[in-house]
């Protein structure tokens, strides 16, 4: 079975990132590894992953290996200043499910959007009674280096096709 739209894909991979800053290219460093014991599953065409990522995997089959780099323009792009917001620290209280340990500069806060989908924001700065939060994707501004293998391909259920969320694993 081939990787194509409305299939649930299971992959093992290593993701490394790099970033060009001030005309100095950084050496890629590993940020995530998913192996055959803990594959990453997604609904092809509904994953929210970069379009180019899915385009490169399209047509591959079980046991096919892949190795490619998505430059930031084809990954998560550049940071959007409009996604950096100042919010009252009081919104992140114990009553709302947050602990003092969570409210630290550099931490990512687990949040839900208006559709109850999980999202996160990075605490850039604590400024008195306010938090400066960055809602940009954590990998914005980075080139993404993928090395991996297709482990499984199956038809997505109707619910998976609608939601884009994988219900179960193989």
């Amino acid at each position: 079975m081939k990787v194509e739209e409305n299939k649930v894909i299971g992959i093992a991979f290593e993701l490394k990132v790099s970033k060009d800053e001030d005309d100095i290219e950084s050496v890629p460093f590993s940020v995530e590894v998913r192996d055959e014991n803990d594959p990453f599953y997604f609904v092809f065409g509904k994953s929210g992953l970069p379009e180019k990522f899915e385009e490169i995997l399209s047509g591959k089959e079980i046991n096919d290996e892949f190795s490619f780099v998505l430059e930031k323009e084809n990954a998560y792009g550049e940071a959007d200043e409009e996604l950096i917001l100042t919010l009252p620290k009081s919104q992140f209280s114990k009553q709302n499910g947050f602990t003092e340990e969570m409210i630290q500069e550099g931490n990512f806060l687990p949040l839900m959007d208006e559709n109850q989908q999980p999202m996160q924001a990075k605490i850039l700065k604590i400024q008195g009674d306010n938090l400066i939060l960055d809602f940009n994707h954590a990998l914005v501004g980075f080139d993404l280096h993928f090395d991996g293998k297709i482990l499984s391909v199956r038809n997505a259920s109707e619910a998976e096709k609608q939601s884009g969320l994988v219900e179960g694993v193989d």
Side-chain angles (χ1 to χ4, degrees):
M1 192 175 287
K2 290 184 184 283
V3 172
E4 59 188 13
E5 193 152 345
N6 293 322
K7 303 286 187 199
V8 173
I9 314 303
I11 61 174
F13 69 91
E14 179 176 16
L15 169 60
K16 295 180 180 179
V17 298
S18 64
K19 187 181 231 180
D20 288 340
E21 292 190 59
D22 300 325
D23 298 324
I24 299 172
E25 185 176 343
S26 69
V27 175
F29 61 94
S30 185
V31 294
E32 185 173 8
V33 175
R34 299 294 291 264
D35 63 19
E36 294 183 12
N37 296 319
D38 183 29
F40 174 70
Y41 294 95
F42 63 97
V43 179
F44 193 89
K46 307 268 187 193
S47 67
L49 295 166
E51 192 175 306
K52 190 73 171 173
F53 176 87
E54 288 193 347
E55 183 182 308
I56 291 169
L57 294 185
S58 181
K60 293 198 178 301
E61 298 181 12
I62 294 173
N63 293 322
D64 283 354
E65 295 184 356
F66 55 87
S67 182
F68 59 89
V69 176
L70 292 182
E71 293 182 356
K72 64 184 168 193
E73 297 79 17
N74 290 315
Y76 294 101
E78 294 287 351
D80 181 347
E81 293 298 320
E82 291 183 17
L83 294 177
I84 298 175
L85 304 172
T86 301
L87 297 174
K89 194 174 175 182
S90 61
Q91 287 186 349
F92 304 94
S93 65
K94 196 174 208 174
Q95 294 86 346
N96 291 334
F98 297 94
T99 65
E100 275 187 49
E101 293 78 31
M102 295 170 82
I103 311 301
Q104 303 293 323
E105 289 183 14
N107 282 358
F108 285 89
L109 295 176
L111 304 170
M112 295 281 198
D113 68 14
E114 62 275 1
N115 298 317
Q116 299 304 305
Q117 294 298 312
M119 61 183 294
Q120 63 182 5
K122 183 178 183 179
I123 301 174
L124 296 180
K125 189 161 185 63
I126 300 172
Q127 218 171 31
D129 291 336
N130 293 314
L131 299 179
I132 300 175
L133 300 176
D134 185 351
F135 286 87
N136 282 289
H137 191 283
L139 296 175
V140 74
F142 287 97
D143 293 337
L144 309 180
H145 305 252
F146 288 96
D147 290 297
K149 181 178 179 179
I150 307 294
L151 300 177
S152 64
V153 179
R154 69 166 170 81
N155 291 320
S157 69
E158 286 306 315
E160 289 170 327
K161 290 176 191 177
Q162 293 300 315
S163 70
L165 302 174
V166 177
E167 294 180 324
V169 295
D170 297 339

